């Protein structure tokens, strides 16, 4: 007799047969980045997600063959290409911890201002009264703590969890860099270690209740950002690019990756888009905006065009990013909130 029926919840099946997550993922029901809730049944998931194209009979046949024989069907995506049970567990944990939304900031290539955009998002949301934390997912780089001027080490009061240090403005920040004896020390990590560390940054850190946990991902569209994305219950992704980065191509690759993981691209930020000169005119140093191409490639809106601004570089280097204000960074927040997974009432900052 079939052990699994369509009215069982996806999470109960994954709990009992963890590798069933890989079968669900094959049918477009991966759990980390989409919003499959703990109470969703297989039937509801199959009809609600995957555009209604999920063949329930085929899914049930594969699930039951696995439950009966303990053998997974052939040609499943690799375990690390699916969010799987771990992702679902993390989603439950996010709810438990009171973290409403996990937003990842990603780019196709390095040095385009990803960390800066992660910082500006956190600062702008905090200014509007949202509860925000920043998780530095780029475990080899010191950008986030440096930009916020945070050097304090996280401390543990119970020997199990860590209290993250806070920025001047009260934003909790967790970064591998804060745990190293010396800033700038080289860290060589293998994939599973990275996943483990990032999960712990999420699960074992006392973030407190947060509206948004902003995650700065490592550069690229290969293993490094993928590993971090899979380790966390990411709700939405902000893609950062620059006009010269052969933007459309790089963005297309990033878009593919996010989609593969079942994620939602909230918007694109074009950084270093132009320079404003004292007479009020602008120069597009890196060539004309790729805005339209990006929107077409990603099917997501351009939520900000940020100029090259010496003040950004100066404040970021001095650990004072929280003092930065500009109409463009304001626009970033307004547009972000318009696209954000769930709108919150705007509470005035105390
Ligand atoms: N719009 C800007 N105006 C001036 N300086 C900028 C701007 N955006 C970023 N920078 C500076 O450029 C450098 C690279 O930015 P950032 O570290 O944010 O890039 P990244 O994409 O996170 O890089 P990585 O790939 O190494 O993680 C930093 O020194 C930052 O202060
Ligand atoms: Mg960075």
């Amino acid at each position: 007799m079939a052990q699994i029926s369509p009215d069982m919840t996806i999470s109960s099946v994954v709990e009992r047969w963890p590798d069933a997550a890989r079968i669900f993922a094959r049918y477009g029901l991966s759990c980390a980045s989409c919003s499959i809730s703990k109470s969703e049944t297989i039937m509801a998931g199959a009809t609600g997600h995957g555009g209604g194209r999920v063949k329930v009979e085929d899914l049930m046949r594969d699930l039951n063959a696995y439950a009966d024989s303990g053998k997974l069907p052939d040609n499943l995506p690799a375990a690390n290409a699916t969010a799987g049970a771990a992702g679902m567990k993390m989603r439950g944990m996010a709810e438990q911890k009171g973290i409403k939304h996990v937003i990842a900031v990603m780019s196709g290539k390095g040095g385009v201002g990803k960390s800066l955009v992660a910082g500006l998002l956190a600062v702008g949301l905090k200014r509007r009264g949202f509860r925000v934390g920043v998780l530095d997912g780029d475990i080899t780089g010191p950008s986030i703590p440096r930009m916020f001027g945070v050097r304090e080490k996280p401390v543990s009061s119970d020997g199990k969890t860590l209290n993250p240090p806070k920025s001047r403005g009260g934003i909790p920040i967790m970064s591998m860099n804060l745990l190293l004896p010396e800033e700038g020390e080289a860290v060589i990590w293998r994939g599973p270690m990275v996943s483990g560390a990032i999960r712990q940054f999420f699960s074992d850190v006392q973030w407190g209740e947060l509206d948004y946990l902003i995650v700065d991902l490592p550069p690229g569209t290969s293993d490094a950002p993928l590993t971090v994305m899979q380790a966390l219950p990411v709700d939405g992704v902000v893609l950062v690019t620059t006009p010269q980065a052969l933007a459309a191509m790089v963005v297309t690759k990033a878009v593919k990756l996010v989609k593969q993981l079942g994620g939602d691209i909230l918007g694109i930020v074009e950084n270093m888009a132009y320079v404003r000169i004292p007479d009020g005119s602008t120069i597009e140093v890196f060539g004309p905006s790729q805005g339209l191409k990006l929107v077409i490639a990603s099917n997501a809106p351009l939520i900000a065009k940020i100029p090259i601004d010496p003040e950004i570089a100066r404040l970021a280097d001095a650990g004072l990013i929280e003092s930065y204000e500009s109409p463009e960074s304001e626009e970033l927040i307004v547009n972000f909130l318009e696209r954000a997974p769930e709108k919150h009432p705007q509470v005035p900052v105390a």
Side-chain angles (χ1 to χ4, degrees):
M1 206 188 84
Q3 298 189 63
I4 302 176
S5 63
D7 61 356
M8 286 164 75
T9 64
I10 295 176
S11 64
S12 69
V13 173
V14 173
E15 205 170 336
R16 177 143 174 227
W17 295 278
D19 271 336
R22 293 176 61 190
I23 302 176
F24 283 120
R26 179 198 230 177
Y27 287 88
L29 296 173
S30 62
C31 325
S33 318
C34 77
S35 54
I36 293 176
S37 77
K38 283 205 273 191
S39 57
E40 187 151 43
T41 61
I42 298 175
M43 190 49 125
T47 45
H49 301 271
R53 288 187 303 273
V54 176
K55 286 202 181 117
V56 189
E57 307 79 20
D58 294 357
L59 169 62
M60 293 315 301
R61 188 202 55 224
D62 281 357
L63 284 172
N64 277 307
Y66 165 55
D68 291 338
S69 69
K71 276 205 300 234
L72 285 163
D74 297 332
N75 305 324
L76 280 182
N80 68 356
T82 65
M88 195 175 277
K89 216 167 114 197
M90 296 304 277
R91 156 93 36 224
M93 191 182 295
E95 275 168 35
Q96 226 175 49
K97 288 175 80 77
I99 298 178
K100 288 195 181 158
H101 302 298
V102 179
I103 306 294
V105 181
M106 188 178 175
S107 72
K109 62 177 240 161
V112 296
K114 194 171 357 76
S115 301
L116 171 83
V117 169
L120 291 182
L121 272 174
V123 171
L125 290 166
K126 178 79 184 171
R127 267 190 207 137
R128 280 170 183 254
F130 292 103
R131 298 162 301 177
V132 187
V134 181
L135 190 163
D136 186 358
D138 187 357
I139 64 165
T140 57
S143 314
I144 290 288
R146 197 177 278 173
M147 198 187 321
F148 282 90
V150 170
R151 304 179 130 253
E152 248 176 278
K153 290 204 180 308
V155 286
S156 178
S157 45
D158 57 5
K160 282 189 228 131
T161 58
L162 280 177
N163 295 315
K166 286 191 174 163
S167 68
R168 287 181 189 78
I171 298 176
I173 286 176
M174 189 62 203
S175 170
M176 188 49 75
N177 221 260
L178 298 169
L179 297 171
L180 299 176
E182 292 284 331
E183 187 188 1
E185 189 155 305
V187 187
I188 301 165
W189 296 77
R190 288 175 211 289
M193 288 161 71
V194 175
S195 311
I198 296 295
R199 282 203 188 104
Q200 277 190 300
F201 278 7
F202 185 74
S203 58
D204 298 353
V205 168
Q206 301 275 8
W207 291 104
E209 291 199 353
L210 295 179
D211 296 309
Y212 295 102
L213 179 64
I214 309 290
V215 181
D216 183 20
L217 292 181
T221 45
S222 59
D223 283 0
L226 194 99
T227 304
V228 178
M229 280 275 288
Q230 286 175 329
L232 299 171
V234 174
D235 297 288
V237 176
V238 171
L239 279 179
V240 183
T241 182
T242 56
Q244 99 281 21
L246 255 182
M249 211 181 84
V250 171
V251 167
T252 309
K253 228 173 136 190
V255 168
K256 260 197 200 141
L257 180 85
V258 176
K259 293 269 157 76
Q260 258 172 26
L261 294 170
D264 185 20
I265 297 167
L266 298 175
I268 312 264
V269 176
E270 197 169 45
N271 188 28
M272 308 190 196
Y274 56 89
V275 172
R276 201 177 292 111
I277 44 179
D279 71 3
S281 60
T282 60
I283 304 176
E284 292 174 322
V285 183
F286 294 127
S289 167
Q290 303 280 323
L292 190 60
K293 269 196 211 158
L294 298 180
V295 169
I296 294 169
S298 67
N299 205 16
L302 192 68
I303 56 173
K305 274 170 80 171
I306 299 176
I308 298 176
D309 182 352
E311 191 67 358
I312 290 183
R314 189 182 73 76
L315 291 172
D317 282 351
L320 295 170
I321 197 64
E322 286 167 293
S323 308
Y324 183 71
E325 281 183 65
S326 72
E328 294 81 12
S329 54
E330 186 58 20
E331 194 186 347
L332 166 72
I333 302 302
V334 170
N335 288 332
F336 171 83
L337 285 171
E338 199 127 292
R339 290 276 300 170
E342 178 193 306
K343 290 185 190 120
H344 302 280
Q346 289 185 14
V347 273
V349 190

